[in-house]
Amino acid sequence: MKLYCLSENPNAPCLLLTFKGTSIMLDCALDLSPLMHFLPLTLVPSARLSKLATWKSSDNVASKALSQDLKECGGQVFVDSEPEVCVPEIGIVDMSTVDVILISNHHNMLALPFITEYSGFKGTIYATEPTLQIGRQMMEELVEYMERVPKRRKSTQWKKPNILKLLPASLKDALYLSSWKKCYTKHDINSCMSKIQKTSFGEKLPLYGALTMVPMSSGFCLGSSNWVIQSQFEKIVYMSGSSFLTTHSTPISQEPLKNPDILLLTGVTQTPTHNPDSMLGEFCSNLTVTIKNGGSVLVPCYPSGVIYDLFECLSGYMDSVGLMQTPMYFISPVADSSLAYAQIFSEWLCAPKQSRVYLPEPPFPHAELIKNGRLEHFSSLHGDFSSQFKTPCVVFAGHPSLRCGDAVHFIELWGKSSNNTVIFIEPGFPYLEALAPFQPLSMKACYCPIDTAMSYAQANKMIKDLKPLHVVVPNKYQKPPVSQPLRTDLVIEADPAPMSFHRGEVLN
């Protein structure tokens, strides 16, 4: 048995397991952190960004080669080009020999088009229906954001080794530059999606008679799965993005995960010092203060997931503090389909949400909010939105990186007023880095990350309950976070001690 680690980010996993003569890829996530090194894509040409100073190297050769590639803002250097993403390290394996790809949730499939369209992969892909549909929406939104504001320039000179060594540390020390790629196309998405086979919780999927693979609910989001892989005498459990919190999705199913020979664990919380419930309270109170002071609130977010719960909590909270007249706008190229799909995936919801379907009532209250005009959704800022938009208001828009999408426009529009607030709820992007190319900024910024993935304490308790013979984790889970070096409780523990891996490593 061998395990190849193809990704560095534990919350954007991609692993390859060779077992019993088969080759199984576990997730296929896209690392979006490289986006932070690029200037934002603005819907309207930005006079501010166009006036940014060009970064000059002390080396004349580098300065000449770079020309206008790099810009300086607030002491930081950004690439002025179409943003890039980091794909898994697929060069160390022969993708034509991979038999199957198992997807655990919609966040962990965004690199799939790179695999299905450009790597020689010919195997089968399994995912639940909500994972497939929401994953498609997230891909389509990202591609739409990239394509609707095409950059005139393609900056590539800065990546050349002789120039890279002369650049500021933020770029010179950037990891895995050879795996940074431009995003795929809409055609790639459609072709990729046609190759995915839908599966359901508890369904036994055979692989050449040697193994069975079973997805079980992980409780993290709609359709999210943990995978149980069994041969006649061995059992491997792959857990990625699991949650013990009560949210809108089907609760985690633990019993089938017990007593494995090997437990592969990824997707523990990215914000271990931020409790999701207290963050939700902070989100609501910051929003209320801003609205009551006559300002508007921007919430950079993904088009699915925690926003369904936020719409529900926020509408009730705003009623209780007398803000029921304040409009909420949800802007995304996939806003319509995201809200519609959430209402029809009833079998993938928790019991209280499922029971509402039989009343009959929509499981989520956003249908009622839309009907009453409290929540309005638009595919873009053009057309109907501009005629109906009024302030103060709350705007939910992508992209949470603030490098593309409609959120960029609102930062430019509202950034000069200290009455307005941007509230960060997605844990995957450092908020100060997200705001860096917009400085100086008068707009207030609040960091309220709502990460429902299990905590380190919950993960360690679960390991004791599941009783695995061996635990395998990313090496980042073996030491406390960089920001909390003394928090020795923020590590994964097991007996015997867990084996760990990092990108490009092969475990036997």
Side-chain angles (χ1 to χ4, degrees):
M1 185 190 302
K2 284 187 177 180
L3 183 72
Y4 299 77
C5 175
L6 309 181
S7 170
E8 182 65 15
N9 185 342
N11 295 91
C14 184
L15 301 167
L16 185 73
L17 178 71
T18 57
F19 179 46
K20 296 287 182 187
T22 66
S23 187
I24 303 169
M25 182 171 275
L26 303 167
D27 279 329
C28 191
L30 200 56
D31 186 351
L32 298 176
S33 59
L35 292 175
M36 310 310 280
H37 293 283
F38 292 81
L39 281 181
L41 296 175
T42 54
L43 275 174
V44 179
S46 168
R48 185 185 63 82
L49 289 178
S50 66
K51 290 175 187 170
L52 290 180
T54 300
W55 182 80
K56 291 280 194 292
S57 169
S58 56
D59 184 285
N60 288 333
V61 176
S63 290
K64 192 172 180 182
L66 289 169
S67 182
Q68 300 288 314
D69 282 10
L70 305 180
K71 300 285 187 181
E72 268 191 273
C73 180
Q76 295 198 45
V77 178
F78 298 92
V79 183
D80 186 13
S81 180
E82 183 181 342
E84 297 181 3
V85 292
C86 185
V87 302
E89 195 73 55
I90 55 177
I92 64 173
V93 295
D94 181 356
M95 289 303 299
S96 66
T97 65
V98 176
D99 300 300
V100 66
I101 300 177
L102 306 180
I103 302 295
S104 58
N105 63 66
H106 56 260
H107 288 287
N108 290 353
M109 65 181 285
L110 299 189
L112 261 184
F114 288 113
I115 304 291
T116 60
E117 308 310 301
Y118 301 103
S119 76
F121 171 75
K122 300 181 181 67
T124 309
I125 308 165
Y126 289 110
T128 62
E129 184 169 9
T131 297
L132 189 158
Q133 299 295 355
I134 298 169
R136 174 195 279 272
Q137 290 167 9
M138 291 186 71
M139 289 180 194
E140 287 176 346
E141 182 188 68
L142 184 62
V143 169
E144 175 69 21
Y145 286 157
M146 295 291 188
E147 290 184 350
R148 74 183 185 187
V149 190
K151 279 274 184 185
R152 294 187 300 277
R153 306 179 68 257
K154 303 290 182 191
S155 304
T156 56
Q157 295 293 325
W158 67 275
K159 284 189 186 180
K160 293 184 175 178
N162 63 318
I163 292 176
L164 194 63
K165 66 185 180 185
L166 303 169
L167 299 186
S170 60
L171 287 170
K172 182 171 63 179
D173 301 334
L175 298 173
Y176 316 114
L177 275 178
S178 60
S179 295
W180 287 22
K181 309 283 184 194
K182 299 281 190 287
C183 203
Y184 36 74
T185 65
K186 290 177 184 175
H187 177 269
D188 293 335
I189 297 173
N190 292 330
S191 178
C192 169
M193 290 293 140
S194 68
K195 296 165 185 168
I196 300 178
Q197 293 193 25
K198 289 182 275 193
T199 185
S200 301
F201 293 150
E203 182 180 355
K204 292 185 177 179
L205 305 166
L207 184 59
Y208 303 138
L211 303 173
T212 58
M213 307 166 296
V214 186
M216 306 304 304
S217 173
S218 75
F220 179 60
C221 56
L222 283 176
S224 64
S225 314
N226 291 318
W227 285 89
V228 180
I229 302 165
Q230 279 185 289
S231 68
Q232 192 171 358
F233 300 108
E234 293 100 351
K235 178 178 180 179
I236 298 171
V237 168
Y238 172 59
M239 296 189 71
S240 175
S242 299
S243 178
F244 293 94
L245 298 180
T246 304
T247 59
H248 56 263
S249 52
T250 309
I252 186 171
S253 176
Q254 280 195 84
E255 197 62 34
L257 311 181
K258 288 185 174 175
N259 304 308
D261 295 282
I262 294 176
L263 171 64
L264 300 174
L265 178 66
T266 66
V268 177
T269 179
Q270 298 176 70
T271 53
T273 56
H274 295 79
N275 177 283
D277 288 331
S278 59
M279 288 299 100
L280 186 57
E282 213 168 294
F283 172 86
C284 290
S285 59
N286 280 311
L287 182 142
T288 304
V289 169
T290 301
I291 300 290
K292 287 192 170 179
N293 288 336
S296 291
V297 175
L298 171 65
V299 186
C301 61
Y302 289 114
S304 178
V306 73
I307 59 162
Y308 300 142
D309 297 307
L310 272 186
F311 290 150
E312 186 167 353
C313 296
L314 194 54
S315 60
Y317 184 83
M318 288 168 77
D319 286 354
S320 70
V321 293
L323 295 177
M324 60 278 289
Q325 299 305 314
T326 304
M328 294 190 288
Y329 301 113
F330 175 30
I331 306 168
S332 165
V334 296
D336 192 40
S337 56
S338 171
L339 295 173
Y341 271 120
Q343 302 289 25
I344 63 173
F345 284 141
S346 58
E347 66 186 282
W348 307 91
L349 298 171
C350 60
K353 289 265 187 283
Q354 278 193 16
S355 62
R356 295 185 61 164
V357 177
Y358 302 105
L359 290 178
E361 287 179 11
F364 289 98
H366 55 241
E368 192 66 25
L369 295 174
I370 292 169
K371 186 177 171 185
N372 296 339
R374 294 274 306 279
L375 172 65
E376 298 182 62
H377 58 94
F378 303 91
S379 60
S380 76
L381 298 176
H382 306 297
D384 292 344
F385 175 75
S386 54
S387 60
Q388 297 182 33
F389 172 61
K390 61 178 187 282
T391 58
C393 63
V394 184
V395 171
F396 295 86
H399 189 266
S401 66
L402 294 186
R403 293 302 179 268
C404 56
D406 300 298
V408 172
H409 179 75
F410 284 100
I411 290 282
E412 294 275 4
L413 182 69
W414 291 343
K416 294 181 181 68
S417 170
S418 59
N419 285 343
N420 302 317
T421 303
V422 54
I423 305 181
F424 292 86
I425 59 166
E426 301 289 356
F429 300 96
Y431 81 106
L432 292 176
E433 285 185 33
L435 290 170
F438 300 96
Q439 300 296 354
L441 204 64
S442 300
M443 188 181 196
K444 289 191 282 289
C446 300
Y447 185 54
C448 304
I450 302 173
D451 190 347
T452 59
M454 64 182 166
S455 66
Y456 282 88
Q458 289 170 332
N460 287 327
K461 180 182 182 302
M462 183 201 64
I463 289 170
K464 288 177 182 173
D465 293 343
L466 298 186
K467 297 181 173 63
L469 292 180
H470 301 282
V471 177
V472 184
V473 297
N475 62 349
K476 289 184 179 177
Y477 293 171
Q478 294 285 272
K479 49 186 182 289
V482 176
S483 60
Q484 303 280 333
L486 302 179
R487 291 289 302 273
T488 53
D489 55 318
L490 301 180
V491 297
I492 296 298
E493 298 172 334
D495 187 19
M499 293 181 278
S500 65
F501 56 79
H502 59 81
R503 185 178 173 120
E505 190 173 12
V506 183
L507 292 184
N508 286 304

